[in-house]
Amino acid sequence: MSTRFHELRERLLRAGVAPRRVRRYLGELTDHFADLTAEEQHAGRSLSEAQSAALARLGKAEDLAQALIERSRFRSWCARAPWAMFGFGPLILLGAAYLVACLYLWCGWNFFLPEQIHPSDHRWPQPTASPTYTSKLVSFITTARPFLSVG
């Protein structure tokens, strides 16, 4: 992309036009500019005269910018509906991340512990009597023994 249209690029981006639309528009303008310059050179003008004539034929930067800014379909969603992008967007992404985390945990449980009873299973064992403090301590120590051994 030519530095010739840098001012136009900045004007379009500040107006809220989507960056990919700006890149495409400036690419097309650069191609048209090259074609017009070649046409003017073919007519017998020097390079600097051909470039000046090509710029005059393309139009002023403000007119080129206004042609794209007036059409709302070229504007980015952040400029069209900032309330949706910065208000509802994060909430939707948060919900989606929560669902992905839950799916990840569920798949991991089913893959690594398929025979174990898990929270979504309705076969939870019913307690017959409330365990005492001593029985809880004994079950904890026997479960944690492999992790507590040193050496």
Side-chain angles (χ1 to χ4, degrees), residues 14-64:
R14 271 188 262 116
V17 178
R20 71 182 169 99
R21 303 282 187 172
V22 171
R23 281 192 301 271
R24 181 174 178 191
Y25 186 57
L26 292 181
E28 289 178 11
L29 280 177
T30 303
D31 291 344
H32 287 307
F33 178 74
D35 292 342
L36 291 173
T37 303
E39 185 179 312
E40 293 292 331
Q41 280 184 320
H42 186 66
R45 295 189 179 178
S46 68
L47 179 62
S48 62
E49 290 175 347
Q51 288 177 343
S52 299
L55 280 175
R57 286 176 64 182
L58 277 177
K60 296 180 181 177
E62 187 60 36
D63 296 334
L64 293 172

Side-chain angles (χ1 to χ4, degrees), residues 18 33 68 80 104 110 120 137 142:
F33 178 74
L68 201 62
R80 273 194 253 178
Y104 180 74
N110 286 332
S120 66
L137 184 61
T142 56

